[in-house]
Amino acid sequence: QTARVYVEYDADQLTKPGLYVGVVEALRDGQVAFRLLNTIIVPTRFTPEENFTHTFVDQTVTNWKPQRHFLAVPPGASAMRLTLTAPEGKTSKAGIQRIFDPNGSRLRIRSNGLDTDAGKRKAVWSVTDELVPGVWEADVVSNRPDKAWPYELAVRFFGLHADPEEIAEWSASSSEAQIGRASCRERV
């Protein structure tokens, strides 16, 4: 016997960025016949009003359970910079261990975490050539299973801006007349 199940979610209830999990149970004769798990990700969105920047403040990563940050790439972005810092006056050995693209593929990054005991209060990662539209995930982790570390994570997106918006022709020779002009306002 086949049946169709339609599930609707109230978007007004899912406004805070994060990971939401729902369970739909099908009952037959009072017993659970099957469970349908649903995962909904509400990413942090970046806008021109905030200069395509967001800082996650007063964060703590506990044990080896990652703090997962979901980031929606704004249209036209060509680079993403993640800056992990230790809050002033606090000890931290948090680090970004994994960055996932919208397809769930793990980006190859070098290990680069905080170590305030050694004087390292800031670590920076940049994603440029690999950056594609969609929702990315950055996981902040602790260096040990028995520690909780405070951190702040600043995320900023950059793009290339051209004036005029469409460059019809490009010349590499400085002796030729200028046909269009391109300027890079932000660099990573």
Side-chain angles (χ1 to χ4, degrees), residues 32-108:
V32 176
F34 68 88
R35 288 186 178 92
L36 175 64
L37 297 176
N38 294 267
T39 303
I40 297 173
I41 293 173
V42 178
T44 299
R45 300 202 181 273
F46 297 81
T47 63
E49 294 77 28
E50 297 166 336
N51 201 22
F52 301 105
T53 302
H54 182 80
T55 302
F56 300 91
V57 296
D58 298 324
Q59 302 291 301
T60 302
V61 60
T62 305
N63 307 323
W64 278 341
K65 181 181 178 196
Q67 283 285 78
R68 301 169 75 185
H69 297 279
F70 299 99
L71 314 166
V73 175
S78 60
M80 173 176 65
R81 183 176 62 208
L82 305 160
T83 305
L84 191 68
T85 56
E88 196 60 44
K90 295 186 177 179
T91 301
S92 183
K93 291 189 180 180
I96 293 182
Q97 187 179 47
R98 299 175 295 267
I99 299 174
F100 295 97
D101 71 12
N103 292 323
S105 297
R106 186 174 174 173
L107 194 66
R108 291 183 173 266

Side-chain angles (χ1 to χ4, degrees), residues 129-182:
D129 295 339
E130 305 91 348
L131 191 66
V132 294
V135 176
W136 286 66
E137 177 182 343
D139 294 346
V140 179
V141 297
S142 173
N143 70 326
R144 295 176 45 129
D146 60 341
K147 294 290 185 180
W149 301 116
Y151 70 92
E152 292 184 359
L153 176 63
V155 181
R156 182 161 187 201
F157 287 93
F158 298 87
L160 178 67
H161 305 279
D163 182 23
E165 289 185 19
E166 183 176 319
I167 299 173
E169 195 174 326
W170 184 265
S171 174
S173 171
S174 60
S175 63
E176 295 180 19
Q178 184 177 6
I179 297 169
R181 185 176 80 234

Side-chain angles (χ1 to χ4, degrees), residues 1-2 25-34:
Q1 176 179 357
T2 62
E25 293 183 338
L27 301 176
R28 182 176 185 140
D29 299 327
Q31 301 294 318
V32 176
F34 68 88

